[in-house]
Amino acid sequence: MCGETQTADWSPEIVPGQDIGIRLKAFLRWINNYRHLPYQKQQELLWELGQIEIGVGTLVARNKGIDGTVAQSVDSLKQWIK
C-alpha cells in the first residue's frame, strides 16, 4: 500500500548487516589463514573469480570478526584436550 515500507527476508547465505555470504567469508578465512594470501592478493583473486570488489579494510574486519565468533569454541576445545 502507499506509504508503507516494503521489506524482504535476507537470504540464509547473507549474514545480517553484511553483504558477504557465509561461504565467501569461510573461503576468505581459509585463503588468509591456511594459504597465507595477503589481503591485496585476496582482492585481486576475488576480482578475477567473479568481479567481486571488496576493500582491504572489509577483508581485515571480516577476518577479525570470525576470530571473535569461534573464540569460545576454540577455548572449549583447549579445555577438553587438557
Side-chain angles (χ1 to χ4, degrees):
M1 299 191 133
C2 186
E4 292 184 21
T5 301
Q6 301 296 317
T7 62
D9 293 331
W10 283 97
S11 163
E13 294 293 313
I14 302 294
V15 176
Q18 303 173 13
D19 59 355
I20 299 176
I22 293 168
R23 291 180 181 160
L24 180 55
K25 284 178 71 170
F27 174 70
L28 291 170
R29 181 65 175 194
W30 180 77
I31 63 174
N32 181 264
N33 291 329
Y34 293 103
R35 304 308 302 162
H36 306 290
L37 194 65
Y39 291 118
Q40 290 80 5
K41 292 294 183 184
Q42 290 179 41
Q43 268 186 317
E44 291 174 22
L45 178 63
L46 291 173
W47 182 257
E48 290 173 8
L49 290 175
Q51 294 185 337
I52 300 169
E53 190 171 352
I54 297 178
V56 170
T58 300
L59 293 171
V60 171
R62 293 305 121 229
N63 204 31
K64 286 182 181 178
I66 293 172
D67 287 343
T69 303
V70 299
Q72 183 178 1
S73 297
V74 171
D75 290 340
S76 295
L77 183 58
K78 286 178 182 178
Q79 294 303 318
W80 179 81
I81 289 172
K82 289 180 183 180

